[in-house]
Amino acid sequence: MAGTGLLALRTLPGPSWVRGSGPSVLSRLQDAAVVRPGFLSTAEEETLSRELEPELRRRRYEYDHWDAAIHGFRETEKSRWSEASRAILQRVQAAAFGPGQTLLSSVHVLDLEARGYIKPHVDSIKFCGATIAGLSLLSPSVMRLVHTQEPGEWLELLLEPGSLYILRYLHPGSTHPSKNVPSAHPVPWVLSLNPALPEDAFTPGGSARYDFSHEILRDEESFFGERRIPRGRRISVICRSLPEGMGPGESGQPPPAC
Ligand code: OGA
Ligand code: MN
């Protein structure tokens, strides 16, 4: 028995880019909050940042609006890409989305300056479907997910440059993304820093997308466990699935954080 305990201890922390408040949240969310370090080659990272830089540089960083979720950022919604970047985005699609999922036609590009950060929020279901997949460029960062009703339940994702993260809603009982049938909740969610969600919004299954808020830690708080993760400027390239029942042309103009 003692041997089993030791083995469990050794295997509990999970992959070194995901930390959690405990083994149950780690195992529950293992398919719902996924990090793939090194998803991009260095050449692919350069392809994307070289293409994005001139477009981003035309914009100014935006700051404090009292209830804004994101601070120190500029962003663009991009739908035209070079062939090389399109090939990268297709790899993201294949890795993160199911065959039945349609993606929003434009990709959200978010440039956080070194002191920029994203407060905890849940992306609006009005604009985003069940899956969000993000590539990180330039600087490492820590994404923290906290259960909206049980703040003691959390995950931290270490997002190194070139990594891909995926947050998805999994149906209860689903254990593998291939069984993931996306479905929008009948809940009128809006982006909220402190979401008060109705009872029926919660499922016993792992849902990093809906049951957990997500945030990108500011430099002063940027730790992955004990490990300090100094924050520099970070660009994320975020693909989202369409809410159910929406055609690609009907997605409207998403607000800044989705
Ligand atoms: C958002 C968001 C995360 C990221 O824009 O809603 O959560 O990786 N972004 O930049
Ligand atoms: Mn978000």
Side-chain angles (χ1 to χ4, degrees):
M1 262 320 176
T4 319
L6 251 184
L7 184 67
L9 257 184
R10 229 179 281 134
T11 51
L12 280 184
S16 53
W17 43 89
V18 180
R19 300 181 65 250
S21 52
S24 86
V25 73
L26 277 169
S27 73
R28 223 163 9 106
L29 296 188
Q30 66 179 356
D31 293 322
V34 176
V35 181
R36 293 189 47 185
F39 183 84
L40 298 177
S41 67
T42 313
E44 287 176 320
E45 279 182 60
E46 277 166 16
T47 297
L48 288 174
S49 33
R50 225 179 301 123
E51 182 165 345
L52 294 171
E53 195 65 57
E55 286 180 48
L56 291 168
R57 219 181 296 139
R58 285 203 294 270
R59 293 159 202 267
R60 284 221 189 100
Y61 285 111
E62 294 177 35
Y63 301 91
D64 297 0
H65 180 251
W66 68 273
D67 65 345
I70 313 184
H71 291 258
F73 73 102
R74 51 192 181 184
E75 65 184 344
T76 180
E77 295 284 338
K78 188 167 163 63
S79 43
R80 280 186 212 174
W81 294 87
S82 66
E83 206 176 316
S85 294
R86 273 206 304 277
I88 298 170
L89 294 171
Q90 266 155 21
R91 282 210 306 118
V92 171
Q93 176 161 6
F97 297 88
Q101 287 183 294
T102 314
L103 269 62
L104 265 116
S105 54
S106 60
V107 174
H108 182 193
V109 177
L110 182 67
D111 175 349
L112 278 183
E113 63 161 358
R115 62 198 165 111
Y117 61 96
I118 307 180
K119 289 188 195 169
H121 67 279
V122 175
D123 287 351
S124 162
I125 60 150
K126 209 165 152 206
F127 298 105
C128 314
T131 305
I132 298 164
L135 295 166
S136 298
L137 305 173
L138 306 183
S139 163
S141 63
V142 177
M143 177 178 276
R144 185 189 286 148
L145 296 121
V146 180
H147 198 288
T148 51
Q149 305 241 304
E150 302 285 347
E153 283 199 21
W154 53 264
L155 278 189
E156 281 170 4
L157 313 182
L158 176 59
L159 305 179
E160 284 169 338
S163 68
L164 171 72
Y165 71 84
I166 306 165
L167 304 181
R168 49 162 79 97
Y169 168 70
L170 297 178
H171 277 275
S174 170
T175 52
H176 191 273
S178 62
K179 297 193 201 125
N180 178 19
V181 186
S183 132
H185 274 296
V187 182
W189 275 339
V190 290
L191 172 74
S192 166
L193 298 180
N194 186 11
L197 301 173
E199 255 328 86
D200 66 1
F202 297 93
T203 66
S207 167
R209 167 77 177 80
Y210 297 139
D211 297 349
F212 287 73
S213 64
H214 56 277
E215 66 193 290
I216 295 284
L217 303 181
R218 66 180 89 192
D219 183 48
E220 303 91 284
E221 294 167 8
S222 191
F223 285 86
F224 184 66
E226 301 283 291
R227 194 171 143 203
R228 167 95 174 113
I229 308 295
R231 267 285 320 283
R233 177 182 171 215
R234 168 186 185 262
I235 297 176
S236 51
V237 176
I238 309 161
C239 299
R240 295 177 162 103
S241 61
L242 269 181
E244 289 262 293
M246 237 192 211
E250 302 167 56
S251 55
Q253 195 54 46
C258 186

